[in-house]
Amino acid sequence: MGVHVVDKGENLWVISNQYGVPIQTIVELNGLPSANTLVPGLALYIPDNQLPIRSYQIKPGDQIWKLAQRFNTDISTILGANPGIEPNSLSIGQIINIPSPVKLKISTLGFLVPSGGSSVLSILDSLAGQLSYLAVVAYSFTAEGYAYNLIEDTAIVARSRQLNITPLLMIRNFTGLDFSAELAGHVLGTPTYRRNLVFSIVNLTNKEDLVVSVLTLNLFRHRSEMILIYF
């Protein structure tokens, strides 16, 4: 998609011929009331026929023809976007450009602290189409490394499943209402307590039907770290 800034004396007929795009297409794309509403300085979106280009890092086993099939394009298009590339001598880690009509996918993560009432579920419903994962902020752990549920989250987990959102267990080193660097350091620095924490997180994810555990640690006064534990 390109942008054209209207110059003095220009009209849609001139712009249409310049870019080879029908006047009606420009009118509809830009929401113009009519073809005679141009003013100097107006920025117009102009569609083009170029494919979106994505950067790709070469992995073991990659070949140009395989990449062309994977991204629904052709070898000549890839070679044209990478002047000087040696198609038979790709290096692992090499970055190339791949024009492709295949749309990129994005995964999103939201955070939610469970609370009483139906308002939380209503908020979740309103965001359903925008979330891939939901970190449920409802868990902590003891000085011996045993993870436990601070806040009831059954309804939120169930609704997330219904909305095709993957619920994540988020566990934090909280004592009362504050982060505790001492709690994290004590548990992680003790092999027995560290094993207790890992095993209890696994048990919680199985019990609560959660896929990923998120351990947030405030190890230093002005620093917060997050560790993702995948099962």
Side-chain angles (χ1 to χ4, degrees), residues 160-171:
S160 297
R161 294 293 187 190
Q162 294 171 357
L163 298 172
N164 293 319
I165 300 171
T166 302
L168 313 180
L169 183 154
M170 181 169 179
I171 180 168

Side-chain angles (χ1 to χ4, degrees), residues 8-84:
K8 185 177 180 179
E10 285 188 327
N11 56 39
L12 282 179
W13 183 84
V14 172
I15 297 172
S16 172
N17 280 283
Q18 179 179 342
Y19 293 99
V21 177
I23 291 177
Q24 189 60 31
T25 298
I26 299 176
V27 169
E28 293 176 357
L29 180 63
N30 292 276
L32 299 176
S34 70
N36 300 314
T37 55
L38 296 189
V39 294
L42 178 65
L44 297 174
Y45 289 115
I46 306 295
D48 56 42
N49 296 321
Q50 296 182 351
L51 294 173
I53 297 178
R54 67 185 69 196
S55 293
Y56 179 83
Q57 186 174 43
I58 299 299
K59 300 177 178 60
D62 280 341
Q63 297 181 43
I64 290 293
W65 68 270
K66 289 183 178 180
L67 294 175
Q69 290 184 344
R70 176 178 173 184
F71 292 102
N72 194 25
T73 185
D74 54 66
I75 294 175
S76 61
T77 299
I78 297 178
L79 295 179
N82 299 274

Side-chain angles (χ1 to χ4, degrees), residues 59-164:
K59 300 177 178 60
D62 280 341
Q63 297 181 43
I64 290 293
W65 68 270
K66 289 183 178 180
L67 294 175
Q69 290 184 344
R70 176 178 173 184
F71 292 102
N72 194 25
T73 185
D74 54 66
I75 294 175
S76 61
T77 299
I78 297 178
L79 295 179
N82 299 274
I85 191 175
E86 293 292 337
N88 298 319
S89 301
L90 299 179
S91 303
I92 296 175
Q94 180 181 1
I95 304 296
I96 66 172
N97 296 317
I98 300 182
S100 170
V102 179
K103 292 184 178 180
L104 292 171
K105 295 181 180 180
I106 184 172
S107 295
T108 57
L109 168 65
F111 295 82
L112 181 63
V113 179
S115 62
S118 59
S119 59
V120 172
L121 296 181
S122 298
I123 294 174
L124 187 56
D125 289 343
S126 68
L127 297 174
Q130 304 173 42
L131 289 178
S132 307
Y133 301 94
L134 179 69
V136 183
V137 188
Y139 299 84
S140 187
F141 56 94
T142 69
E144 292 76 30
Y146 294 105
Y148 63 93
N149 190 320
L150 275 170
I151 310 172
E152 173 59 39
D153 62 345
T154 304
I156 291 175
V157 172
R159 181 62 63 86
S160 297
R161 294 293 187 190
Q162 294 171 357
L163 298 172
N164 293 319

